[in-house]
């Protein structure tokens, strides 16, 4: 059979269109049309000109509006499995509702009355379209060594290979070459081609998204208007819907669609008479939710991997509805059916077909796998191979065209599969005798097409349509008004801002837990800070603390604002999508974020400021409090906008720097001239001046010891002075205004000036954010790159890498297939040899799976039974949400949530402990270490999963066999990478399967969606590969979506599930699936049409994907069938037989892991070091941060002297060293979490290695890097500040620096170890950092700490000991020479000299005194040790501090290991023990009399 479905009636002799009342004409249609959505197409004939751009001529299948409504009605009942079409009454009832809704939005009434509809640019024409982009087929893997070896290699290459090879500028390659064609209004164009052929680029260009490409030549017009004008004035009429579903996860479906509708609601002149905006929104919302069956999801969050929301299929429907809302004239859809079952995919494309007909738009759709039903919904098809047009023309002529070139369409192949296969040298089937006549390369296909009659017809079609378009232009210009002359956005800018503001509030409110949690954290932190500074005295004892509390206010809110960086990057893809949909200007979104910040930041700041301000005892007057509150609010808003501006202007989040140069760290009078200018551009310095001047301007500071000198029994009142800056001779109090003026050059008169500057900076940052958002562009267009390890590049591509050229193929016009698609598995390559053969049979019975939900339990699987036999390829299928992946995970013992019960047996015996290790499980998501090469990934799996008795050499030899089996020999040295910069989707899928095969699975293999995201050729390739494995004796069970008939034919057996996790069929399929078809037909399903795809037929029969299905329950039918009884007997027989004959060898291995722990550790640590070495961005970023901050520190405190303020600056220099840790922690956490994610996603379930090896590998790899960069930081910082240069002091400071490096690394990893994701880990860093900094004795001096904290928290702060170690050595024996303004001046008592009067004081406290003209000038400190003593720092404790800091490092690592164990292993065990319901259910199961294996998993 050459066709999957009967060909539609000939378009040369169309049937007369049925009238709306002619039910007979409907009933006389073919059986296919009665039970499905018949092909509804516009006319392909160019003999019938289009009379108007609003009225394209229709063929027999392009029904009238009334008929279309009937088809839509019938579509919703056709999946029921009934053999008769609905009655007239049922049709009319359903028709009325759909007709009313559809007419309101797309009907002729709206089109006739809408000014916008009359002026749309419908139909797209492209002539001689050529697109070029940057692309290179292969590249070398960058490493950290390139930082040091890059220049020598460049010099070597310059002399040995010439300047071109040495420079290696990326080449420009042709992505699309000379395309010509048109898509008329009401037409759908199907885009076919293998991944990397240029399909996505073609869609983007037709959607007028040209950025990122080097050049776009040729003409593309939309309704006669050129692309430049469309981009400038009518950009909203062309949309590109990407493959990924990009939505805010915390928004509900209703909020998501209402926002889209609000931003695309047309003006009054384009709405029905009397229709308001809200009425339009509600009517359209009803249409799209009914049309796409998402009414039940309106109040459900869209969700993502973290936020629970709608299913994947429902999320895809939301994406399509969102694009439908745009009412764009040209709509491009990129692989929109990915991950959907065949029935759901058909529904989606039918919806696009409906939209295309009703709105008379041009739809361009790229599909990797298209069934015949889908194919027949399109009017035209284009086949692209390596950027060349192999065919463009009517869908019904494509098959005959390629058959005329000498190709054969195999039986049961869909037309789309056939078309794609002809471009693949390993998939094409050639007619006998035509082997030397067929085109083979993309260039030859292009030449054949250009010389064909099809190309001539296409040119004639384009010319005729262009003539029609001229009339359209005149009609459009006549109907244009001022409102429609430019139509980039549907609503004015201020309404865009309002809509975005409301949406942003909903986004935040949708994540109430995070919002309330953040405020709760701020409350907790503010209570801690307030208690530390509780009721500060209004004396000199509280002066430093007052500055400290205000500095903390600034620092805390600035660190919270730092989180905006990650938020900006995470929302960027959604912003770019909405920008392309013309929902709003990015500037509106930027302003909306600021408007949302206003109340939220006010709440945040108010919580912190009210608690801290009044607990700490800052001046309690109304004006001063509200000035403080307003200052913090303004500064926080400024910092939020600052980080957003960085995020919008930066290309990526690789480097995050934070520099606070407020006067509190370095007093302005002490700033070096080369860094003093930073103070004027730093908003924190202005905020700090406002807070300090606001607090001190009217404060009278009474001096008390130790700042009142001399003090003691010999001191006399009237003969004392204050050591505070700004004190007057003989005065024991200081005016606060004098203090801040002398110490910081601050004055109250600058208060409102500083407010003005802050406000101006805020506006400047908002402006920069808006500009950055407006200039955002998607990533550059170009080709995918295969990245090779140095030294493992195939000879065929080595020269091209050196010269910077795209690798050539032996066949003209194509890149090396080993790079782009790798060699296909040959059909006649023979049986697999050398692969381990399975003999065990896996059976499962009475499998039930229940999960807890709000208000009770939900059962996902109900009494499932089956088996997996060696040499058999078994398919696990069902509708979306039927529980396929759930069952697969249960069978593989990989569920970690809910309750699983059932009997799981291998050869009739309970599962061995090694079951997970002895089975292969290929995940749907191809999760691998990106920096591993293919060979390294397979060797890692073989080394750790094959038994330890097997020699390593034999394991690696087996890996080479697997590489040959995968036919990836040429790219075995390529790193896996990421999509676009690494292996493509098919290659990654093969690696996933290869990694499992390398383990020599002794029992069976599970595969979850092995063809998901692949084109038809790659899918066939993977299935053929699995077929070979099954023929070699492997037992394989895999889930699969959208299988074509040819794919379905590869399977031996089927387990079919319906919604609710119930079995509806299980058993052998038979030839041409006759067993399956006969089972359904004899139990009441409609007859399977000849040539129909059995996979689509069975899903249609059970009502898959139809929420309105009202037919019989096929689960009950199966349980009552003789086939069910037969399967049950077979399972019993298998269990008994295998118990008797099975060898125990494979079941006796009760080891959880194949290799001992030491081998696991060695392999994992080695892989971690390789990953770091091949991730130069991380290493260079870490190094750069240390070098920049080290140099900034040393030049900020360059060559300090010996004055009293210089002692304080030494302290600040050391303190600044500690403050570099937050950005470094946030830089290293994603690395740790990345290792853990790889382990959690795949390797833990496969029992490759233990959690301990994973944690140790992530920990150990950071240590040498930290020591190296810490040493570099030490040398950049230490020598320029003026610290002691003796070997003991320098060596000790280096040692404490190394300990500090290890401390913050272990501290950051400890936080990451108990954080579920990067976002929470990033948010926890400032909270913990502030906490440990608060009690180290710097922000709040030891003497000023409340006794409660002083007694226990101060000794517990790790930074206290790090600082004591640093400071004790840095100040030891440093002589102090006070400068003029640092002396305390007073008159000695009569009859006493200054030395006599202060002798006992100096002996007790320290310092020295000078006498000048009878006035004593007392310097508070004589040496650095005395200053250190005032900070509770003792030089003699330096080695004790080393030991304590080392103990803290060990403690942090203990937390890392404990939390990793708890998260990965222990938590599940503890939960299982503590769960009373689990114990009860386990007890009831254990009391069952049947002697079978029972599994209970929580």
């Amino acid at each position: 059979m050459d066709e999957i479905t009967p060909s539609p009636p000939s378009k040369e002799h169309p049937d007369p269109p049925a009238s709306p009342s002619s039910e007979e004409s409907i009933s006389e249609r073919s059986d296919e049309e009665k039970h499905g959505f018949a092909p509804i197409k516009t006319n392909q004939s160019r003999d019938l000109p289009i009379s108007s751009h609003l009225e394209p001529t229709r063929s027999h299948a392009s029904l009238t509006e009334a008929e279309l409504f009937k088809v839509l009605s019938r579509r919703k009942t056709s999946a029921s499995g009934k053999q008769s079409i609905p009655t007239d009454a049922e049709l009319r009832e359903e028709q009325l509702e759909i007709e009313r809704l559809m007419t309101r939005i797309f009907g002729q009434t709206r089109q006739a009355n809408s000014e916008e509809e009359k002026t749309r640019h419908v139909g797209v024409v492209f002539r001689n379209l050529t697109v070029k982009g940057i692309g290179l087929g292969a590249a070398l893997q960058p490493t950290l060594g390139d930082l040091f070896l890059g220049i020598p290699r460049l010099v070597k290459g310059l002399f040995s290979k010439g300047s071109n090879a040495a420079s290696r500028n990326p080449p420009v390659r042709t992505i699309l070459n000379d395309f010509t064609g048109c898509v008329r209004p009401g037409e759908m164009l199907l885009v076919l081609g293998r991944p990397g052929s240029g399909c996505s680029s073609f869609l983007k260009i037709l959607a007028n998204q040209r950025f990122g490409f080097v050049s776009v030549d040729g003409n593309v017009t939309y309704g006669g208007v050129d692309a430049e004008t469309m981009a400038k004035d009518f950009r909203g009429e062309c949309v590109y819907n990407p493959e990924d579903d990009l939505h805010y996860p915390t928004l509900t479906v209703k909020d998501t669609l209402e926002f889209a509708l609000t931003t695309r609601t047309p003006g009054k002149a384009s709405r029905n008479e009397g229709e308001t905006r809200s009425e339009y929104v509600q009517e359209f919302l009803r249409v799209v939710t009914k049309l796409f069956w998402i009414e039940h999801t309106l109040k459900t969050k869209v969700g993502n991997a973290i936020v629970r929301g709608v299913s994947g299929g429902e999320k895809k429907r939301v994406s399509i509805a969102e694009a439908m809302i745009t009412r764009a004239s040209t709509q491009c859809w990129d692989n929109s059916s990915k991950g959907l079952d065949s029935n759901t995919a058909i529904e989606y494309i039918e919806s696009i077909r409906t939209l295309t007909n009703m709105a008379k738009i041009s739809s361009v759709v790229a599909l990797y796998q298209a069934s015949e039903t889908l194919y027949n919904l399109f009017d035209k098809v284009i086949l692209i191979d390596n950027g060349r047009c192999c065919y463009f023309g009517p869908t019904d002529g494509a098959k005959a065209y390629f058959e005329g070139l000498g190709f054969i369409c195999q039986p049961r192949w869909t037309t789309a599969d056939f078309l794609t296969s002809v471009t693949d040298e390993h998939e094409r089937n050639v007619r006998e005798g035509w082997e030397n006549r067929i085109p083979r390369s993309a260039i030859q296909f292009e030449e054949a097409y250009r010389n064909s009659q099809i190309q001539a017809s296409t040119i004639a079609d384009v010319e005729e349509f262009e003539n029609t378009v001229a009339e359209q232009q005149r009609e459009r210009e006549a109907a244009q008004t001022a409102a429609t002359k430019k139509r980039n956005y549907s609503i004015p800018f201020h309404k865009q801002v309002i809509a975005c503001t409301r949406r942003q509030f909903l986004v935040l409110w949708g994540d109430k837990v995070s919002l309330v949690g953040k405020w709760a954290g701020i409350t907790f932190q503010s209570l801690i800070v307030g208690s530390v500074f509780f009721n500060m005295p209004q004396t000199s004892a509280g002066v430093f603390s007052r500055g400290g509390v205000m500095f903390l206010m600034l620092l805390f809110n600035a660190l919270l604002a730092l989180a905006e960086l990650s938020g900006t990057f995470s929302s960027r893809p959604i912003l770019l999508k909405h920008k392309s949909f013309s929902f709003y200007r990015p500037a509106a979104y930027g302003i909306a974020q600021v408007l949302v910040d206003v109340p939220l930041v006010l709440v945040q700041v108010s919580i912190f400021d009210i608690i801290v301000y009044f607990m700490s005892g800052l001046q309690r007057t109304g004006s001063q409090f509200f000035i403080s509150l307003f200052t913090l609010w303004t500064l926080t808003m400024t910092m939020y906008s600052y980080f957003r501006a960085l995020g919008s202007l930066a290309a990526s989040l690789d480097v995050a720097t934070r520099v606070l140069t407020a006067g509190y760290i370095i007093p302005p009078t002490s700033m070096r001239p080369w860094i003093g200018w930073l103070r004027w551009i730093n908003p924190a310095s202005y905020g700090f001046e406002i807070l300090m001047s606001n607090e001190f301007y009217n404060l009278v500071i009474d001096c008390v010891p130790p700042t009142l000198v001399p003090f003691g029994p010999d001191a006399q009142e009237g003969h004392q002075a204050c050591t505070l800056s700004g004190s007057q001779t003989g005065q024991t109090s200081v005016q606060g205004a004098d203090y801040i003026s002398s110490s910081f050059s601050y004055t109250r008169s600058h208060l409102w000036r500083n407010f003005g500057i802050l406000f101006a900076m805020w506006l400047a940052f908002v402006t920069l954010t808006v500009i950055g958002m407006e200039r955002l562009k998607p990533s550059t267009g170009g080709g995918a790159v295969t990245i090779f390890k140095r030294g493992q590049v195939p000879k065929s591509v080595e020269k091209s890498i050196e010269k910077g050229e795209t690798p050539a193929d032996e066949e003209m016009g194509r890149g090396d297939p080993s790079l782009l698609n790798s060699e296909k598995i040959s059909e006649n390559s023979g049986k697999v040899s050398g692969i381990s053969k399975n003999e065990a049979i896996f059976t499962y019975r009475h499998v039930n799976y229940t999960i807890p939900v709000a208000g009770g339990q939900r059962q996902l699987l109900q009494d499932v039974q089956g088996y997996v036999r060696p040499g058999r390829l078994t398919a696990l299928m069902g509708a979306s949400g039927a529980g396929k992946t759930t069952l697969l995970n249960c069978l593989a013992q990989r569920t970690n949530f809910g309750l699983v019960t059932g009997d799981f047996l291998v050869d009739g015996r309970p599962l061995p402990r090694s079951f997970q290790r002895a089975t292969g499980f290929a995940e749907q998501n191809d999760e691998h270490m990106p920096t591993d090469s293919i060979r390294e990934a397979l060797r890692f799996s073989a080394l750790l999963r094959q038994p330890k008795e097997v020699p390593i050499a034999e394991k690696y030899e087996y890996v080479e066999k697997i590489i040959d089996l995968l036919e990836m020999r040429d790219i075995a040295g390529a790193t896996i990478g990421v999509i676009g910069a690494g292996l493509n989707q098919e290659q990654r899928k093969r690696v996933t399967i290869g990694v499992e095969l390398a383990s020599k699975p002794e029992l069976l293999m599970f595969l979850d969606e092995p063809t998901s995201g692949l084109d038809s050729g790659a899918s066939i390739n993977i299935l053929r590969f699995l077929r070979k494995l099954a023929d070699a004796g492997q037992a394989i069970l895999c889930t699969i979506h959208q299988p074509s008939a040819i794919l379905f034919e590869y399977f031996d057996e089927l387990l079919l599930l319906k919604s609710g996790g119930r079995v509806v069929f299980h058993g052998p399929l038979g030839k041409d699936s006759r067993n399956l078809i006969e089972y359904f037909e004899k139990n009441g399903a409609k007859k399977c049409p000849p040539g129909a795809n059995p996979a689509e037929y069975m899903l249609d029969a059970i009502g898959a994907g139809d929420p309105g299905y009202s037919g019989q329950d096929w689960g009950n039918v199966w349980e009552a069938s003789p086939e069910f009884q037969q399967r049950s007997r077979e399972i019993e027989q298998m269990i008994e037989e295998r118990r008797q004959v099975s060898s125990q060898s494979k079941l006796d291995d009760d080891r959880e892991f194949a290799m001992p722990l030491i081998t696991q550790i060695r392999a994992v640590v080695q892989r971690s070091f390789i990953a770091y070495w091949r991730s130069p961005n991380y290493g260079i970023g870490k190094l750069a941060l240390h070098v920049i901050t080290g140099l900034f520190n040393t030049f900020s405190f360059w060559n300090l002297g010996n004055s009293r303020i210089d002692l304080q600056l030494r302290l600040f220099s050391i303190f600044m060293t500690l403050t570099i840790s937050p950005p470094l922690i946030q830089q290293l956490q994603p690395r740790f979490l990345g290792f853990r994610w790889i382990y959690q996603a795949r390797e833990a379930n496969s029992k490759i290695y233990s959690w301990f090896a994973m944690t140790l590998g992530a920990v150990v790899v950071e240590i040498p890097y930290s020591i190296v960069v810490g040493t570099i930081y030490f040398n950049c910082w230490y020598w320029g500040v003026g610290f002691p240069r003796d070997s003991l002091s320098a060596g000790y400071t280096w040692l404490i620096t190394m300990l500090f490096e290890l401390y913050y690394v272990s501290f950051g990893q400890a936080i990451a170890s108990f954080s579920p994701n990067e976002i929470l880990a990033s948010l926890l860093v400032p909270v913990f950092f502030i906490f440990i900094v608060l009690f180290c004795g710097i922000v709040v001096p030891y003497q000023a700490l409340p006794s409660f904290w002083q007694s226990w928290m101060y000794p517990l702060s790790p930074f206290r000991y790090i600082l004591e170690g640093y400071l004790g050595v840095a100040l030891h024996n440093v002589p102090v020479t006070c400068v003029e303004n640092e002396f305390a001046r007073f008159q000695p008592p009569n009859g006493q000299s200054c030395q006599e009067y202060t002798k006992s004081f100096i002996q007790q406290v320290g310092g020295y005194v000078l006498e000048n003209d009878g006035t004593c000038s007392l310097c508070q400190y004589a040496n650095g040790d005395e200053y250190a003593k005032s900070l509770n720092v003792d030089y003699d404790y330096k080695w004790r501090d080393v030991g304590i800091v080392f103990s803290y490092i060990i403690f942090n690592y203990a937390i890392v290991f404990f939390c990793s164990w708890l998260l990965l292993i222990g938590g599940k065990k503890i939960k299982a023990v503590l769960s009373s319901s689990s114990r009860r259910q386990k007890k009831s199961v254990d009391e069952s009399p049947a002697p079978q294996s029972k599994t209970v998993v929580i």
Side-chain angles (χ1 to χ4, degrees), residues 1313-1390:
S1313 68
F1314 56 76
S1315 300
N1317 52 64
E1318 292 181 21
I1319 296 175
L1320 183 59
S1322 178
L1323 290 174
L1324 288 175
V1325 171
V1327 175
F1328 282 95
F1329 179 73
I1330 291 290
F1331 202 77
I1332 60 174
V1333 163
L1334 201 56
F1335 299 101
C1336 70
I1338 298 301
V1339 179
V1340 187
Y1342 171 74
Q1343 293 82 358
L1345 275 172
S1347 57
F1348 172 76
W1349 296 116
Q1350 194 182 80
S1351 61
W1352 70 279
M1353 195 60 214
Y1354 174 73
L1356 284 179
S1357 174
F1359 273 20
R1360 174 228 167 154
Y1361 303 101
I1362 295 175
L1363 276 166
E1364 186 172 45
Y1366 270 129
L1367 205 56
V1369 170
L1371 298 178
H1372 182 56
N1373 288 335
V1374 174
V1376 176
T1377 305
C1378 286
V1379 295
E1380 191 66 21
N1381 64 346
E1382 293 175 343
F1383 285 103
R1385 292 179 173 83
F1386 54 88
Q1387 299 294 329
N1390 291 332

Side-chain angles (χ1 to χ4, degrees), residues 860-967:
L860 299 182
L861 297 175
Q862 300 182 42
D863 204 30
V864 178
Q865 69 172 16
Y867 51 77
V868 185
R869 297 185 288 180
R872 297 290 188 272
L873 183 56
T874 305
L876 174 54
M877 295 185 63
S880 296
K884 302 181 295 296
T885 300
T886 302
L887 176 60
L888 202 68
N889 286 327
C890 289
L891 297 181
Q893 308 297 300
R894 290 176 177 237
T895 52
N896 52 20
F897 175 72
L899 178 69
V900 179
T901 61
D903 308 329
F904 304 90
L905 305 174
V906 174
D907 282 346
R909 294 175 176 82
L911 303 184
R913 195 178 180 206
S914 60
F915 178 78
Q916 287 176 272
R917 173 171 57 81
T919 56
F921 193 105
E923 303 271 2
Q924 180 176 353
N925 299 322
D926 305 306
E927 299 290 349
H928 300 281
M929 188 68 73
T931 50
D932 277 356
S933 71
I934 295 174
R935 179 176 282 108
E936 287 168 346
L938 268 61
R939 283 187 171 186
F940 185 82
S941 177
L943 174 66
L944 296 183
R945 294 177 69 179
Q946 291 186 27
K948 65 179 181 181
E949 293 78 14
V950 180
I952 293 179
E954 185 178 329
K955 293 180 180 181
Y956 288 171
E957 183 182 350
Y958 186 75
V959 165
E960 298 305 313
K961 292 181 181 178
I962 298 297
I963 290 174
D964 288 332
L965 176 66
L966 296 170
E967 299 189 1

Side-chain angles (χ1 to χ4, degrees), residues 705-717:
T707 55
L708 181 65
V709 293
F711 59 85
D714 297 332
Q716 299 181 21
E717 189 175 346

Side-chain angles (χ1 to χ4, degrees), residues 98 222 438 684 1002 1102 1212 1316:
I98 298 178
Y222 306 84
I438 62 166
E1002 298 172 335
I1102 66 173
F1212 288 158

